[in-house]
Amino acid sequence: EHQEVFGLEIDESYAESGSGYEVGALYAHDEDNGESTTYEAYGGYRYTFDAAATEGVHPFLSLGLAVSNAELKSGDSDDDTVVGPYLRAGLLWDVSERVRLGLDYRPLFAGDYDFELNGSDLQRDADYDQVTLSLGFEF
């Protein structure tokens, strides 16, 4: 299943070492099979290769932890929260001195969501694979 996701992220890598961090929040909403809304907060360690360069392509690797809450509505409604680790690999391209385009891949490894809807117990997979196209601004 494909789903549009919107988010905001803050990341920082130190030019001397390439080490840094990332924190972010994601929102997704879907109405294909019932109605579902998902909120996720995540954070982790990021290593950026060639972080001191002021132009070009900057590959990065990340690992961290995500907390995801999903609400499912189908007549009745219920929500559940799961926690899981993620990995991430991506590329950032310097478009100008303060603007970057990014492309990355991130799998999340989490347990199942457990819902009780209309008297039935339902489980939904919380694992996913995400490909992100991003536009970043340096302040």
Side-chain angles (χ1 to χ4, degrees):
E1 179 179 325
H2 299 279
Q3 187 175 43
E4 290 182 1
V5 177
F6 301 94
L8 180 63
E9 178 179 281
I10 296 171
D11 66 75
E12 184 172 2
S13 292
Y14 302 99
E16 313 80 51
S17 66
S19 291
Y21 67 90
E22 62 186 25
V23 294
L26 302 173
Y27 166 82
H29 184 79
D30 186 20
E31 295 186 13
D32 287 341
N33 297 322
E35 185 177 349
S36 67
T37 304
T38 306
Y39 299 95
E40 181 179 315
Y42 65 90
Y45 172 79
R46 176 185 281 205
Y47 180 81
T48 303
F49 297 87
D50 203 17
T54 57
E55 58 184 46
V57 177
H58 309 276
F60 69 89
L61 296 173
S62 303
L63 62 98
L65 195 64
V67 177
S68 181
N69 177 270
E71 181 181 21
L72 188 59
K73 293 181 183 179
S74 182
D76 201 358
S77 71
D78 194 16
D79 72 311
D80 192 23
T81 301
V82 297
V83 177
Y86 69 86
L87 301 173
R88 189 172 180 191
L91 298 171
L92 299 171
W93 291 274
D94 291 317
V95 175
S96 71
E97 185 178 326
R98 299 206 177 272
V99 177
R100 285 186 174 171
L101 288 177
L103 179 65
D104 68 75
Y105 169 71
R106 183 178 85 124
L108 173 67
F109 308 99
D112 292 340
Y113 294 114
D114 293 316
F115 300 107
E116 185 179 322
L117 292 175
N118 305 315
S120 298
D121 292 330
L122 301 171
Q123 287 190 330
R124 294 292 184 257
D125 191 7
D127 290 343
Y128 64 77
D129 295 292
Q130 182 180 58
V131 175
T132 303
L133 179 62
S134 62
L135 176 63
F137 301 95
E138 184 177 331
F139 297 98

